[in-house]
Amino acid sequence: SQKIEQNSEALNIQEGKTATLTCNYTNYSPAYLQWYRQDPGRGPVFLLLIRENEKEKRKERLKVTFDTTLKQSLFHITASQPADSATYLCALGTGKLIFGQGTTLQVKP
Amino acid sequence: NAGVTQTPKFRVLKTGQSMTLLCAQDMNHEYMYWYRQDPGMGLRLIHYSVGEGTTAKGEVPDGYNVSRLKKQNFLLGLESAAPSQTSVYFCASSPRQELWVKRVQETQYFGPGTRLLVL
């Protein structure tokens, strides 16, 4: 069956460290993958898109990797700050967007 | 620009009641979507529209109807609400794509959500 999985356990890290979130999928062949940020009580906000032929994408303190062989994307936030605390959703681009359930990141000062 | 707005923000219904959720966008986007978000589950697509006057079913369409009479508005209707429809509903929009195939990039812009409780 088709699945998209993000770590359901919250990720707690110390301010200044690098946060790494994982998105794994099975039985999909996405043309691209997106990452969104969602704050409590708000709608998701687009952060980054990476295509199937790209290995890595960067935007300021954010970095995304996409390994179509492993069927995995990693989302990194370097020099994390308490303001980065939120839920991060990955979404597979397969014509429609298929969303993971999200991973909550808590950055402690 | 207000972006994507949703009305109402919160609503309580009794089982069997009906209601309509309104989504409006001012970005002149062709595509609009309705999702529901439940704890522990990803956003699930209910219905979507690729243009004024067109609608299509998503992953979980049962119990919902939609209409897109104007390009900027997308309405989601619940004819007879059930407790299983208790959820947070998000509307989203995205710009027109030439072909809606898997190689097209579709960044979506989301509204703030409507929290619905069905008793």
Side-chain angles (χ1 to χ4, degrees), chain A residues 28-32 92-98, chain B residues 101-103 106:
Chain A
Y28 284 111
S29 297
Y32 59 91
L92 302 182
T94 64
K96 300 180 185 62
L97 278 183
I98 309 297
Chain B
V101 295
K102 73 173 188 178
R103 298 197 174 276
E106 45 169 285

Side-chain angles (χ1 to χ4, degrees), chain A residues 52-101:
Chain A
E52 61 181 334
N53 61 348
E54 297 175 319
K55 294 292 185 187
E56 182 179 299
K57 204 78 169 282
R58 291 176 186 261
K59 179 182 176 183
E60 297 172 353
R61 294 185 295 112
L62 308 180
K63 185 178 85 171
V64 173
T65 63
F66 191 13
D67 189 325
T68 55
T69 301
L70 290 179
K71 296 187 183 296
Q72 180 182 78
S73 175
L74 298 178
F75 177 79
H76 306 272
I77 306 176
T78 58
S80 59
Q81 304 166 1
D84 295 326
S85 298
T87 297
Y88 291 87
L89 309 174
C90 68
L92 302 182
T94 64
K96 300 180 185 62
L97 278 183
I98 309 297
F99 284 86
Q101 76 271 35

Side-chain angles (χ1 to χ4, degrees), chain B residues 13-84:
Chain B
L13 287 180
K14 293 181 180 177
T15 297
Q17 287 184 318
S18 63
M19 79 163 293
T20 300
L21 283 68
L22 171 64
C23 175
Q25 53 97 3
D26 61 3
M27 296 173 283
N28 201 34
H29 286 169
E30 287 290 334
Y31 298 173
M32 296 187 75
Y33 316 82
W34 275 107
Y35 292 91
R36 60 178 289 173
Q37 187 175 41
D38 301 291
M41 304 188 76
L43 288 158
R44 292 184 291 168
L45 183 64
I46 304 172
H47 285 281
Y48 63 95
S49 168
V50 298
E52 183 178 318
T54 71
T55 63
K57 294 180 180 180
E59 180 188 354
V60 288
D62 294 342
Y64 305 95
N65 56 75
V66 288
S67 65
R68 183 103 180 265
L69 298 179
K70 293 183 178 180
K71 184 178 182 179
Q72 63 268 32
N73 296 336
F74 195 27
L75 278 62
L76 178 70
L78 286 73
E79 289 187 350
S80 179
S84 61

